[in-house]
Amino acid sequence: MIPVLIGTLLALVALAFVLYPLFSGNMALIPQSHSSGSDIQISKVDALREIEFDHATGKLSESDYGKLKASYTAQALAEMREAQSDACPACGSPREAEALFCSQCGIRLGA
Amino acid sequence: MILVGELSLWVALLMAVWATTVSFAGATTRRADLIASGERGVYAVAAMTILAALGLWTAIFTHDFSIKYVASFTSANLPKVYLFTSLWAGQAGSLLFWMLVLSVFAAIAVFTNRTRHRELMPYVTGTMAFVMVFFLATLCLGANPFERLDWVPPDGRGMNPQLQNPGMAIHPPMLYLGFIATTVPFAFAIGALFTRRLNSEWLVAVRRWTLLAWFFLTIGIVLGMWWAYVELGWGGYWAWDPVENASLLPWLTLTAFLHSVMVQEKRGMLRKWNVTLIIASFLLTILGTFITRSGIIASVHSFAQSPIGPWFVGFLILGITVSAYLVTTRLKDLKSEAVLESMVSREAAFLYNNLVLVGIAFSVLWGTLFPVISEAVRGDRITVGPPFFNTVNVPLGLLLLLLTGVGPLIAWRRASVSNLRRQFTVPAAGAVIVGGLLVAAGMRNGYALVSYVLAVFVAGTIVQEFYKGVKARKSMYGESLNLALFRLIGRNRRRYGGYIVHAGIVIIFAAFAGYAFKTEHDVTMKAGDSVTLTDPWGKSWTFTSQGISQYDVLNREVTAMALETRREGKSVGIITSERRQYFAGSDPMSRVPTFQPSTEVGIHGSFGQDVYLTLVGVAGEGAGEIRIAFNPLVRWVWLGGFMMAIGGLIVMWPQAERRRRESGYVTQLAPEHDMVGAER
């Protein structure tokens, strides 16, 4: 008799725990997010930092270094400008979508 | 508590089935409530499995011999520490232990990703839950650790003496942690394939898990070698035993992955390859478990055998089929972003390294399965021994060692001649000089010579990397020597931690090469007899027998032979080797011997060599037959393994984002009007 009771109790507690979300009335769908297609995940600033170090330790030839540095610098600047357009101009914290005020410092954000 | 444990196993199975079902349902319908319920299911499985393990431990510690597992693998006189480890000393218990670790890992993976990778996670949760369904079903239906006997024996059979060793307390858990940690990356790979989100997202999510798996496998393998060396009395640490091979296989594929993933991150190449390596690593752990458990191939691990083999074969076939289907239907999404520009480049070096690692894995797999294959094809079982494995793998291993030195030094995309010359002159010159010296000193063993030359070359490249890195930091940021070295490693843990792992590999290869010079002598000695032998370093050793003694310790009867040992005439102490006969019961008149007698080797270790004594038997009239071996450089194997683990830790250590940002470059963008000026 006792085994049956313990087993039922264990099963009931576990069931209540896992079924709770289904009865909490939250029928929302998870938002669809798109993954960017590229694998290359190091930022251009990091890439720049890396080739500078590779050059200093003699792994990159002078001509390769010049070419890569020019191209990465341009890309890094573009990347940073893009990143900054999403930041609060006063405190630099990230700006939430469609926010009218910065959630960190409270300054009014332009449209 | 025991009853709670038994029942919670069944509840865990129910929860795992539920978690699998709702997670995949949630993934296809995108319903948040189903997904949340699936994730809670994983937590519930973990809680129930912990209860089950506590239940079995309770049965073991209270000596409840009505439970078959407790009666089969423990006894009333077993020391406490081995009562604790007996959870993984037998089949059903070790499966429960496996499940325990798996459920905790799965819960951690779900918890740490509760706000991240929301598209992938339902599939990841579902896949992990499905793997747990398999293990729980095997436990409940195939090998139940709570199975009861019809009668209660007065005492248990006790634990296999070979398992009564401190190494056995940590070696299996470490290997299990490594094996089981591959489940999480596998689940992410399956999730990425299902969702076709095959860019770097899943790679980021699994980075730490793959490192963790690799780290624990490395420690587990080295500890296993140590256990074999001190406990099995083979006289060696690696014998290409099927189960050793089974632990090596996923280590090889994971090592390959840890290298090739860098190519995908940097250049967007090798997508198919990486996803395949992760799937292969997981399936190889299942294959390894199957080999250990099924008894299909004779091995030193035969103590863990049982008839659950078919369960694993079924699971393996299912795993291969689903993975193969997913990969082949997503080939378009797995296309590379770039092509290989030159065969002399970092990415090409990584590719060669991968080919060699996978080549070794294939040869080991082939050799391990050969007895089964030959039996199926020709009807008779042919076992391939160490000669096969050594013939194939020693050259491949040396090639790998060479690549360990070459890879890190050449540039991405395309290496120029001047780049090669600048990087390789010093290490290559050092290697040639050392090779010349060794030949002059009379070394004629070809493989050993090549090993040492390559080891010096690779060690040279590593030292050069640290030297150049420190120098660059000193000149770029004006740091002191110590600070530059500290920051060099701290700010680029993956690269420099990796070099430390490589240094460990170099040490291990050098130690392996030293083993080629091992010498062995069988002698029979009475009390007072002496024998003088010369070791591989040319020093003379004198061993004088102190006779044989017999006495009882805890749960065993010991026959010991002690040799007073002198090196070049100077005493280094007494080395003792034992034969042990374990018994059940404490009354000397009625106790019964359990298991075959086992050997406890006597070791006098130094960095040059181990003097390794094995008591082979007693010849009568107080004479003992003893094998005296000189095993060169063995201690360096453990040291190299330790270094690999330290390097692995450095690579894994979390790096604070803020510190990373500060390293080197100022990344603040000047206001627009200043920029215009600067660009001009």
Side-chain angles (χ1 to χ4, degrees), chain B residues 509-533:
Chain B
F509 267 89
F512 284 167
Y515 212 68
F517 300 98
K518 162 188 177 139
T519 53
E520 223 171 46
H521 314 267
D522 285 321
V523 288
T524 304
M525 295 162 97
K526 281 205 284 286
D529 285 359
S530 274
V531 60
T532 300
L533 303 166

Side-chain angles (χ1 to χ4, degrees), chain B residues 557-678:
Chain B
E557 201 175 274
V558 176
T559 307
M561 183 167 181
L563 297 183
E564 202 260 339
T565 306
R566 292 173 175 275
R567 180 177 179 272
E568 299 276 287
K570 263 204 218 123
S571 175
V572 296
I574 288 174
I575 314 177
T576 310
S577 173
E578 299 174 358
R579 300 276 292 171
R580 292 176 173 180
Q581 176 64 61
Y582 284 79
F583 53 77
S586 48
D587 178 11
M589 300 309 289
S590 65
R591 69 193 185 192
V592 283
T594 49
F595 303 100
Q596 294 289 308
S598 60
T599 307
E600 190 72 14
V601 297
I603 299 173
H604 172 79
S606 68
F607 283 106
Q609 69 189 350
D610 282 3
V611 180
Y612 186 91
L613 303 188
T614 319
L615 181 59
V616 182
V618 179
E621 289 175 26
E625 293 168 32
I626 200 149
R627 174 169 296 164
I628 301 172
F630 296 102
N631 298 336
L633 305 184
V634 173
R635 199 174 269 190
W636 293 91
V637 176
W638 321 137
L639 199 77
F642 181 69
M643 205 146 168
M644 286 172 74
I646 296 282
L649 266 184
I650 291 176
V651 178
M652 266 193 295
W653 209 259
Q655 186 158 13
E657 187 65 11
R658 183 181 57 81
R659 292 263 303 277
R660 205 171 62 81
R661 288 273 154 237
E662 282 170 9
S663 54
Y665 241 80
V666 180
T667 54
Q668 200 63 47
L669 195 63
E672 201 69 24
H673 52 89
D674 287 359
M675 284 311 302
V676 176

Side-chain angles (χ1 to χ4, degrees), chain B residues 240 245 248-250 252-253 273 276-277 280 284 287 354-370 373 384 388-389 392-393 396:
Chain B
W240 300 106
N245 297 347
L248 185 64
L249 287 169
L252 289 167
T253 47
W273 184 251
T276 311
L277 280 177
L284 284 170
L287 178 76
N354 264 251
L355 289 177
V356 176
L357 281 166
V358 172
I360 295 175
F362 262 114
S363 78
V364 173
L365 184 64
W366 176 254
T368 309
L369 294 179
F370 196 75
I373 298 167
V384 294
F388 162 80
F389 291 106
V392 179
N393 290 319
L396 285 176

Side-chain angles (χ1 to χ4, degrees), chain B residues 18-45:
Chain B
W18 172 261
T20 311
T21 317
V22 288
S23 293
F24 280 109
T28 36
T29 59
R30 312 184 68 84
R31 269 176 54 182
D33 54 346
L34 290 179
I35 295 166
S37 178
E39 292 183 344
R40 278 169 169 250
V42 170
Y43 298 142
V45 173

Side-chain angles (χ1 to χ4, degrees), chain B residues 281-554:
Chain B
S281 301
F282 172 73
L283 293 175
L284 284 170
T285 66
I286 299 294
L287 178 76
T289 322
F290 165 65
I291 291 175
T292 331
R293 310 289 163 171
S294 63
I296 189 165
I297 297 163
S299 140
V300 289
H301 291 68
S302 45
F303 49 79
Q305 283 178 20
S306 92
I308 54 164
W311 290 84
F312 277 86
V313 176
F315 186 63
L316 206 55
I317 292 172
L318 182 68
I320 293 172
T321 314
V322 172
S323 311
Y325 169 77
L326 283 173
V327 172
T328 46
T329 50
R330 274 132 179 98
L331 285 178
K332 215 167 57 163
D333 305 283
L334 286 165
K335 268 229 221 47
S336 279
E337 284 177 45
V339 288
L340 200 58
E341 287 175 29
S342 159
M343 297 312 272
V344 189
S345 60
R346 180 84 61 88
E347 48 269 53
F350 278 137
L351 194 63
Y352 302 143
N353 133 305
N354 264 251
L355 289 177
V356 176
L357 281 166
V358 172
I360 295 175
F362 262 114
S363 78
V364 173
L365 184 64
W366 176 254
T368 309
L369 294 179
F370 196 75
V372 184
I373 298 167
S374 68
E375 190 169 25
V377 175
R378 299 188 26 186
D380 50 345
R381 178 170 278 244
I382 302 166
T383 310
V384 294
F388 162 80
F389 291 106
N390 289 334
T391 311
V392 179
N393 290 319
V394 170
L396 285 176
L398 291 176
L399 188 58
L400 193 63
L401 185 59
L402 174 69
L403 288 170
T404 308
V406 174
L409 294 197
I410 56 182
W412 288 99
R413 288 169 191 274
R414 189 185 298 275
S416 63
V417 178
S418 68
N419 161 270
L420 295 179
R421 199 171 34 225
R422 206 170 31 232
Q423 298 289 334
F424 291 119
T425 309
V426 176
V432 169
I433 292 169
V434 169
L437 287 176
L438 286 174
V439 172
M443 188 182 276
R444 291 294 176 268
N445 182 319
Y447 276 143
L449 203 57
V450 175
S451 298
Y452 286 121
V453 167
L454 288 178
V456 170
F457 169 70
V458 180
T461 62
I462 296 169
V463 172
Q464 180 180 280
E465 279 295 276
F466 276 95
Y467 171 76
K468 286 192 175 174
V470 167
K471 211 172 98 184
R473 278 202 81 91
K474 277 172 75 175
S475 72
M476 281 164 86
Y477 312 120
E479 293 164 351
S480 72
L481 176 72
N482 289 336
L483 185 68
L485 180 64
F486 181 75
R487 288 206 172 145
L488 182 72
I489 300 172
R491 302 270 158 98
N492 204 339
R493 297 206 175 120
R494 201 183 198 181
R495 184 190 285 188
Y496 290 92
Y499 287 152
I500 292 173
V501 174
H502 283 182
I505 292 272
V506 169
I507 292 175
I508 287 184
F509 267 89
F512 284 167
Y515 212 68
F517 300 98
K518 162 188 177 139
T519 53
E520 223 171 46
H521 314 267
D522 285 321
V523 288
T524 304
M525 295 162 97
K526 281 205 284 286
D529 285 359
S530 274
V531 60
T532 300
L533 303 166
T534 307
D535 73 13
W537 301 91
K539 304 285 181 208
S540 89
W541 292 74
T542 307
F543 301 90
T544 310
S545 170
Q546 307 295 298
I548 284 182
S549 46
Q550 287 184 314
Y551 47 90
D552 287 355
V553 180
L554 294 170

Side-chain angles (χ1 to χ4, degrees), chain B residues 146-157:
Chain B
F146 295 100
E147 191 183 335
R148 286 178 194 275
L149 292 167
D150 298 334
W151 58 296
V152 182
D155 199 355
R157 283 190 64 227

Side-chain angles (χ1 to χ4, degrees), chain A residues 3 17-18 26 28-33 36-41 45-46 49-50 54 57-59 80, chain B residues 7 30 32-33 37 40 119 197 199-200 204 264-266 271 337 408 419 422-423 465 495 660 663 667:
Chain A
F17 177 70
V18 298
N26 177 15
L29 301 185
I30 57 163
Q32 199 126 25
S33 76
S36 75
S38 178
D39 282 329
I40 300 158
Q41 36 169 315
V45 178
D46 284 339
R49 194 178 287 155
E50 214 169 86
D54 275 355
T57 53
K59 284 205 188 77
M80 286 164 72
Chain B
L7 293 169
R30 312 184 68 84
D33 54 346
S37 178
R40 278 169 169 250
E119 298 267 339
R197 299 168 77 88
N199 58 3
S200 57
V204 176
Q264 182 166 350
E265 284 172 15
K266 276 251 166 65
R271 282 178 163 190
E337 284 177 45
N419 161 270
R422 206 170 31 232
Q423 298 289 334
E465 279 295 276
R495 184 190 285 188
R660 205 171 62 81
S663 54
T667 54

